[in-house]
Amino acid sequence: MSKVVAILACVVLAVPLYAGGITWTTPAPITYGTALGSNQLNATTTASGSFTYTPPAGTILNPGTHTLSAVFNGNPGATNTVNLIVLPVSLSIIPLPQTTQVRPGLFTLCPSLPVAIAPGRATTRILADAPSLQTAQYLAALLFKSTGCQFIVRSTATAAPVKGAIVLTTSTTNSALGAEGYQLTVAPDSVLIQAPAAAGVFYGVQTFLQMLPPQILSPHPVTGVAWTAPCAYIQDQPRFPWRGCMLDVSRHFHTPDEIKQLLDVMALHKLNTFHWHLVDDQGWRIQIMEYPLLTQVGAWRTNIDYGLNPLSSGDYNTNGMYGGFYTQAQIRDIVAYAQQRYINIVPEIEMPAHSTSGVASYPQFACTNGPFSMDVINYEISLYSLAAPGTYSFLQEVLSEVMDLFPGPYIHTGGDEVVAASWIWNRTPADEQEMATLGITPNGSNSVIQYQHWFSTNMANFVQASGRKMVGWTEIEAGGILTNMVLMDWEVGATNGTVPAAEAGQQVVTTPDASCYYNYYQTTDLSLEPLGQSGYTTLNAAYNYEPVPTNLPAQYASNILGSEGILFGEYLPSLTNVEFRAFPRLCATAELTWTQAAMKNYTNFAQRLVTHEMRLRQMGVNYDATNIFQLGNWTPSLISTSPGTLTWNVTTNVPATGEIDVSFWYTSGADGLSIYSVTLLENGSPISEDAHTGFAGSGPSNWVYILHLRERKPGATYTIEASVAGRGGTASYGNIYLPNWN
């Protein structure tokens, strides 16, 4: 959050201020209120001497002369009109740059759009050398969406500032910045972004975008905004090479366009690794030409599962089956989209456990004859038989097709939680024989661990021979460290975890669940959260996580590649829910993996988030603001044991189009509330209904109802009706919310 110093004076230096605070020093007690152009701060108070005023969230003080009217000495008849001097203190950039020097003046990008339908040509040009040309085109396209101005892109060989231009160049003498570092100079008449490599230029552009008003990230033209950035010099480079986000699409499918939306937000945060969890028990999401049944069978189940409302996702096919998969053409398109944003995709294909989708499709590779069902996940048999004829060929052919689609250096093969299921190896004659042949005693105390280690060693060698490096979860090394693979340690501190692996020369990505699992709840106040996975990862815990263990000797610290935010998908049925869980915690991941540890400060980070939230909302990101709108409540006097109707006018709360969620949250009482249906009405006529039976009480509850508004009609009145009754009696109290979960 930017802070400003406001001084009663006639001289004005204006810079953008977004939802900041104003410290106002006066010679005498005053009562104050302000009117800054079209922005009303709407505050009145009486104070003596110096005091601080923080405007409402969302207030924007655009550059220009700001007139302030003050009533001095509590005398309504004594009104003085003065101007504000506004000085920047923080640029509210996330992740925090390594070095920032704010300088006098403003750079004006282009004129403000007078009306949304009047696009024009920007006087500012974008000049780029050959390696930076793709980023220049990206920047021009993004700026056009919000400003309505067309930015001319031209090739250049210059590495110097050019008046009236944004120069992007990989020509720099500062090679110490590395492949992802950059220098950004914003002057009153020019912008210069220099980096040793193209990725650094792209990251410099992301920083420059954050120096402009948040509306610069709007996908639609915005009028009345002064498109200016404060002058500054920034030198920056990342702390870790692996700065990631993991999304599980096995439990719930997310469309290619939704994946691209997530990649766009990752790019803004300089996150460079998208860990794509494509295969697990509940779904096989990647087309494999050699084995078509993997998506014909393994990509579909009959229900949404996890006790979720079936309406919380739209991923049903014409036969009513739930799921989906990505064709190889779609995969290639997404990979190219990510590459344009300097994001490497790491695909994860689970093996040898968590493999119901694989063995249900091709049961000949399983330890038993099943039966296998995509609707009944039996972890005790969701395991490949390593000795079944053809299993190795099957898995290696799958990985070969995967590697053809993903050009990045890493291929994730899972490997977690094998021991929970692998007793079946000790009951499968072929695997027992294979263990004996390998010198492993079947049914021995370590036979399962040794057998998996043998399998993982072979797979790591196969991936390495294909020019890549295998990645696996913590459990993959229970039988020994594999230095030719990357350990992804979700059990940091375990006996065979990060420290011994790094000391042995192995590269490690640390992702402990207590700090990095963003599918966990964010707060202990569950009325603010949707149905989720047990466990808590607060924003503070996420931000203050340190990827390098304190007991790791300094000479091995470089073996820690970085970290990532983890989003396992059991309770993430929609992209909106993914975003609710991810943000702002993924902002914390961005900073802890980019910014040097000594520069991190949670209080300062939280202040910068105030402005950053505005950026994310401009992008349409469902940012968790830790508050939800309370629609109403129920009390014993409002309900009976027979079905009745509760009604609320929601005209001012419904969106222009989209989903409307209604949640019932029990707070106290000996009884509970049965909910039979929730209906959305437009001018008194029903237009959407969720008629499943739910319960809000002290026991297990199913209390989220989902409605859909196709298009809001101007001037229409919208109401929500709920058919409810007390269960067991009317001694029940609770609140009804319109959350932003889905």
PDB file of all heavy atoms in Angstrom, residues 254-268:
ATOM      1  N   HIS A 254     -10.201 -28.537 -15.548  1.00  0.00           N
ATOM      2  CA  HIS A 254     -10.278 -27.109 -15.841  1.00  0.00           C
ATOM      3  C   HIS A 254      -9.933 -26.912 -17.314  1.00  0.00           C
ATOM      4  O   HIS A 254      -8.970 -27.484 -17.810  1.00  0.00           O
ATOM      5  CB  HIS A 254      -9.334 -26.313 -14.932  1.00  0.00           C
ATOM      6  CG  HIS A 254      -9.644 -26.464 -13.481  1.00  0.00           C
ATOM      7  ND1 HIS A 254     -10.738 -25.894 -12.879  1.00  0.00           N
ATOM      8  CD2 HIS A 254      -9.021 -27.174 -12.499  1.00  0.00           C
ATOM      9  CE1 HIS A 254     -10.779 -26.211 -11.596  1.00  0.00           C
ATOM     10  NE2 HIS A 254      -9.744 -26.991 -11.339  1.00  0.00           N
ATOM     11  N   THR A 255     -10.716 -26.110 -17.996  1.00  0.00           N
ATOM     12  CA  THR A 255     -10.605 -25.976 -19.441  1.00  0.00           C
ATOM     13  C   THR A 255      -9.289 -25.326 -19.848  1.00  0.00           C
ATOM     14  O   THR A 255      -8.634 -24.654 -19.035  1.00  0.00           O
ATOM     15  CB  THR A 255     -11.761 -25.134 -19.989  1.00  0.00           C
ATOM     16  OG1 THR A 255     -11.616 -23.777 -19.527  1.00  0.00           O
ATOM     17  CG2 THR A 255     -13.110 -25.678 -19.535  1.00  0.00           C
ATOM     18  N   PRO A 256      -8.904 -25.477 -21.124  1.00  0.00           N
ATOM     19  CA  PRO A 256      -7.679 -24.810 -21.590  1.00  0.00           C
ATOM     20  C   PRO A 256      -7.701 -23.307 -21.354  1.00  0.00           C
ATOM     21  O   PRO A 256      -6.674 -22.726 -20.973  1.00  0.00           O
ATOM     22  CB  PRO A 256      -7.647 -25.155 -23.086  1.00  0.00           C
ATOM     23  CG  PRO A 256      -8.321 -26.485 -23.171  1.00  0.00           C
ATOM     24  CD  PRO A 256      -9.427 -26.409 -22.149  1.00  0.00           C
ATOM     25  N   ASP A 257      -8.828 -22.649 -21.587  1.00  0.00           N
ATOM     26  CA  ASP A 257      -8.898 -21.201 -21.356  1.00  0.00           C
ATOM     27  C   ASP A 257      -8.696 -20.867 -19.882  1.00  0.00           C
ATOM     28  O   ASP A 257      -8.082 -19.837 -19.549  1.00  0.00           O
ATOM     29  CB  ASP A 257     -10.245 -20.651 -21.829  1.00  0.00           C
ATOM     30  CG  ASP A 257     -10.311 -20.516 -23.342  1.00  0.00           C
ATOM     31  OD1 ASP A 257      -9.253 -20.574 -23.995  1.00  0.00           O
ATOM     32  OD2 ASP A 257     -11.424 -20.374 -23.878  1.00  0.00           O
ATOM     33  N   GLU A 258      -9.204 -21.715 -18.996  1.00  0.00           N
ATOM     34  CA  GLU A 258      -9.012 -21.476 -17.565  1.00  0.00           C
ATOM     35  C   GLU A 258      -7.550 -21.653 -17.173  1.00  0.00           C
ATOM     36  O   GLU A 258      -7.033 -20.900 -16.342  1.00  0.00           O
ATOM     37  CB  GLU A 258      -9.917 -22.408 -16.763  1.00  0.00           C
ATOM     38  CG  GLU A 258     -11.390 -22.061 -16.904  1.00  0.00           C
ATOM     39  CD  GLU A 258     -12.311 -23.074 -16.262  1.00  0.00           C
ATOM     40  OE1 GLU A 258     -11.921 -24.252 -16.115  1.00  0.00           O
ATOM     41  OE2 GLU A 258     -13.444 -22.698 -15.900  1.00  0.00           O
ATOM     42  N   ILE A 259      -6.882 -22.629 -17.759  1.00  0.00           N
ATOM     43  CA  ILE A 259      -5.453 -22.807 -17.501  1.00  0.00           C
ATOM     44  C   ILE A 259      -4.686 -21.573 -17.962  1.00  0.00           C
ATOM     45  O   ILE A 259      -3.780 -21.076 -17.272  1.00  0.00           O
ATOM     46  CB  ILE A 259      -4.921 -24.064 -18.211  1.00  0.00           C
ATOM     47  CG1 ILE A 259      -5.623 -25.326 -17.678  1.00  0.00           C
ATOM     48  CG2 ILE A 259      -3.404 -24.179 -18.033  1.00  0.00           C
ATOM     49  CD1 ILE A 259      -5.451 -25.581 -16.206  1.00  0.00           C
ATOM     50  N   LYS A 260      -5.062 -21.024 -19.107  1.00  0.00           N
ATOM     51  CA  LYS A 260      -4.391 -19.821 -19.607  1.00  0.00           C
ATOM     52  C   LYS A 260      -4.620 -18.634 -18.679  1.00  0.00           C
ATOM     53  O   LYS A 260      -3.715 -17.806 -18.478  1.00  0.00           O
ATOM     54  CB  LYS A 260      -4.877 -19.507 -21.018  1.00  0.00           C
ATOM     55  CG  LYS A 260      -4.384 -20.481 -22.076  1.00  0.00           C
ATOM     56  CD  LYS A 260      -4.915 -20.120 -23.456  1.00  0.00           C
ATOM     57  CE  LYS A 260      -4.410 -21.082 -24.514  1.00  0.00           C
ATOM     58  NZ  LYS A 260      -4.932 -20.740 -25.873  1.00  0.00           N
ATOM     59  N   GLN A 261      -5.805 -18.527 -18.106  1.00  0.00           N
ATOM     60  CA  GLN A 261      -6.060 -17.438 -17.155  1.00  0.00           C
ATOM     61  C   GLN A 261      -5.116 -17.534 -15.964  1.00  0.00           C
ATOM     62  O   GLN A 261      -4.585 -16.524 -15.489  1.00  0.00           O
ATOM     63  CB  GLN A 261      -7.517 -17.489 -16.689  1.00  0.00           C
ATOM     64  CG  GLN A 261      -8.526 -17.085 -17.744  1.00  0.00           C
ATOM     65  CD  GLN A 261      -9.950 -17.152 -17.229  1.00  0.00           C
ATOM     66  OE1 GLN A 261     -10.294 -16.521 -16.237  1.00  0.00           O
ATOM     67  NE2 GLN A 261     -10.779 -17.934 -17.899  1.00  0.00           N
ATOM     68  N   LEU A 262      -4.926 -18.756 -15.463  1.00  0.00           N
ATOM     69  CA  LEU A 262      -4.004 -18.943 -14.339  1.00  0.00           C
ATOM     70  C   LEU A 262      -2.576 -18.598 -14.748  1.00  0.00           C
ATOM     71  O   LEU A 262      -1.827 -17.966 -13.986  1.00  0.00           O
ATOM     72  CB  LEU A 262      -4.088 -20.373 -13.825  1.00  0.00           C
ATOM     73  CG  LEU A 262      -3.182 -20.720 -12.638  1.00  0.00           C
ATOM     74  CD1 LEU A 262      -3.477 -19.829 -11.433  1.00  0.00           C
ATOM     75  CD2 LEU A 262      -3.329 -22.193 -12.258  1.00  0.00           C
ATOM     76  N   LEU A 263      -2.174 -18.978 -15.950  1.00  0.00           N
ATOM     77  CA  LEU A 263      -0.830 -18.664 -16.432  1.00  0.00           C
ATOM     78  C   LEU A 263      -0.618 -17.156 -16.522  1.00  0.00           C
ATOM     79  O   LEU A 263       0.467 -16.647 -16.218  1.00  0.00           O
ATOM     80  CB  LEU A 263      -0.593 -19.321 -17.796  1.00  0.00           C
ATOM     81  CG  LEU A 263      -0.528 -20.853 -17.809  1.00  0.00           C
ATOM     82  CD1 LEU A 263      -0.478 -21.367 -19.245  1.00  0.00           C
ATOM     83  CD2 LEU A 263       0.664 -21.369 -17.025  1.00  0.00           C
ATOM     84  N   ASP A 264      -1.655 -16.414 -16.927  1.00  0.00           N
ATOM     85  CA  ASP A 264      -1.536 -14.954 -16.993  1.00  0.00           C
ATOM     86  C   ASP A 264      -1.250 -14.352 -15.621  1.00  0.00           C
ATOM     87  O   ASP A 264      -0.425 -13.436 -15.493  1.00  0.00           O
ATOM     88  CB  ASP A 264      -2.831 -14.354 -17.555  1.00  0.00           C
ATOM     89  CG  ASP A 264      -2.939 -14.500 -19.059  1.00  0.00           C
ATOM     90  OD1 ASP A 264      -1.897 -14.653 -19.720  1.00  0.00           O
ATOM     91  OD2 ASP A 264      -4.073 -14.466 -19.576  1.00  0.00           O
ATOM     92  N   VAL A 265      -1.941 -14.859 -14.600  1.00  0.00           N
ATOM     93  CA  VAL A 265      -1.739 -14.314 -13.258  1.00  0.00           C
ATOM     94  C   VAL A 265      -0.370 -14.739 -12.723  1.00  0.00           C
ATOM     95  O   VAL A 265       0.297 -13.971 -12.028  1.00  0.00           O
ATOM     96  CB  VAL A 265      -2.863 -14.752 -12.305  1.00  0.00           C
ATOM     97  CG1 VAL A 265      -2.776 -13.981 -10.993  1.00  0.00           C
ATOM     98  CG2 VAL A 265      -4.227 -14.526 -12.934  1.00  0.00           C
ATOM     99  N   MET A 266       0.052 -15.949 -13.032  1.00  0.00           N
ATOM    100  CA  MET A 266       1.398 -16.376 -12.648  1.00  0.00           C
ATOM    101  C   MET A 266       2.450 -15.448 -13.253  1.00  0.00           C
ATOM    102  O   MET A 266       3.417 -15.065 -12.584  1.00  0.00           O
ATOM    103  CB  MET A 266       1.647 -17.820 -13.108  1.00  0.00           C
ATOM    104  CG  MET A 266       0.904 -18.886 -12.323  1.00  0.00           C
ATOM    105  SD  MET A 266       1.238 -20.557 -12.957  1.00  0.00           S
ATOM    106  CE  MET A 266       3.021 -20.668 -12.722  1.00  0.00           C
ATOM    107  N   ALA A 267       2.265 -15.077 -14.515  1.00  0.00           N
ATOM    108  CA  ALA A 267       3.245 -14.222 -15.193  1.00  0.00           C
ATOM    109  C   ALA A 267       3.391 -12.881 -14.489  1.00  0.00           C
ATOM    110  O   ALA A 267       4.506 -12.377 -14.334  1.00  0.00           O
ATOM    111  CB  ALA A 267       2.834 -14.016 -16.650  1.00  0.00           C
ATOM    112  N   LEU A 268       2.274 -12.301 -14.055  1.00  0.00           N
ATOM    113  CA  LEU A 268       2.338 -11.022 -13.345  1.00  0.00           C
ATOM    114  C   LEU A 268       3.213 -11.125 -12.103  1.00  0.00           C
ATOM    115  O   LEU A 268       3.880 -10.169 -11.717  1.00  0.00           O
ATOM    116  CB  LEU A 268       0.922 -10.576 -12.961  1.00  0.00           C
ATOM    117  CG  LEU A 268       0.831  -9.270 -12.165  1.00  0.00           C
ATOM    118  CD1 LEU A 268       1.210  -8.075 -13.031  1.00  0.00           C
ATOM    119  CD2 LEU A 268      -0.576  -9.090 -11.592  1.00  0.00           C
TER     120      LEU A 268
END
